[in-house]
Amino acid sequence: MQTLAAPLFPARPAQSAQGSLFDPQPLTLISDVEGGVRYWPPRMTEAQQQRCFAQLLQALPWQQERRQMYERMLDVPRLQASLPLAEACAIPAVRVAYQLVQEVAPYAFSHVGFNLYRDGQDSVAMHNDRLHRLAPGQPIALVSFGHAREMVLRAKNGGHRPVRVLLEPGSVLAMSHASQFTHEHGIPKTRDSVGARISCAFRVRPPGL
């Protein structure tokens, strides 16, 4: 796997009264000319991320969507919420997540979407983000709270084995815009006993969206 000479997702250490809480070097999962897909392990304490999870669980306007699947109307297997970033940042936990993102992907994000996976039966199917709702060249950054869940990344051309990464609480995953053309990603169901997880996905929307 090729390593980029000038990554577009720079790693900048976050400082606290106790010094750096994380290894600033990311794990490169997929490489491309826009920075690929990179993962930063947990970057906050367990107590901090638990407080953020509890706050998001209570503060966000969670909704249960229904979609037509397999010729039937079915509940989407997770709860969702979406807010403009300026509005979402009224919630302190969102400001914490946004600060983590800005330390590794300092872009002008405009919106944040949230998924609540209540247990191992909640999931999201393999997909790429809707390209018409993403600003060209701008990445997607994902912050996780709650229990860890596995993400699968799969090349659309089927030329490589899927990449699996455990999204730990307090971690950050950044995906380039280019990776949405070449790869799909998803959170599969699991029979393991897992608790709830909340993901915060920061995106740059085109003007008017």
Side-chain angles (χ1 to χ4, degrees):
M1 184 177 292
Q2 182 180 3
T3 300
L4 300 178
L8 297 186
F9 300 149
R12 300 186 302 188
Q15 298 295 324
S16 72
Q18 298 164 327
S20 177
L21 293 178
F22 64 99
D23 182 349
Q25 296 304 313
L27 173 65
T28 299
L29 304 173
I30 294 167
S31 293
D32 61 40
V33 296
E34 291 183 357
V37 180
R38 299 186 178 198
Y39 174 76
W40 286 263
R43 306 175 53 225
M44 57 197 311
T45 67
E46 177 69 15
Q48 288 172 331
Q49 77 85 17
Q50 286 181 350
R51 285 196 297 270
C52 288
F53 173 85
Q55 188 175 88
L56 293 172
L57 189 64
Q58 294 297 320
L60 287 168
W62 297 109
Q63 295 182 344
Q64 174 77 72
E65 291 191 6
R66 290 179 62 82
R67 295 179 186 171
Q68 187 167 351
M69 295 179 282
Y70 311 112
E71 300 181 351
R72 292 185 297 168
M73 289 297 295
L74 299 174
D75 290 338
V76 171
R78 61 191 179 280
L79 301 185
Q80 298 172 284
S82 180
L83 293 170
L85 180 61
E87 182 178 342
C89 278
I91 304 171
V94 176
R95 296 199 297 271
V96 170
Y98 186 55
Q99 181 179 350
L100 291 176
V101 166
Q102 286 292 292
E103 288 162 358
V104 298
Y107 288 78
F109 295 99
S110 60
H111 287 72
V112 55
F114 305 90
N115 282 315
L116 169 57
Y117 301 86
R118 295 159 292 186
D119 55 32
Q121 292 306 298
D122 277 359
S123 63
V124 59
M126 298 299 294
H127 69 288
N128 61 258
D129 274 43
R130 290 175 287 182
L131 296 170
H132 72 281
R133 295 182 62 82
L134 299 175
Q138 305 300 297
I140 302 162
L142 191 74
V143 180
S144 297
F145 298 116
H147 283 245
R149 288 291 296 270
E150 183 181 68
M151 173 181 276
V152 178
L153 299 147
R154 182 175 65 198
K156 292 184 179 182
N157 63 14
H160 301 280
R161 296 181 63 181
V163 176
R164 298 177 181 271
V165 58
L166 189 66
L167 300 179
E168 301 169 279
S171 67
V172 178
L173 181 95
M175 298 185 287
S176 70
H177 184 267
S179 72
Q180 302 305 301
F181 290 91
T182 61
H183 288 75
E184 296 178 317
H185 58 277
I187 305 289
K189 297 181 188 298
T190 177
R191 294 181 179 178
D192 295 340
S193 178
V194 296
R197 168 183 177 260
I198 292 174
S199 66
C200 311
F202 294 85
R203 298 178 175 90
V204 183
R205 299 289 192 210
L209 289 181

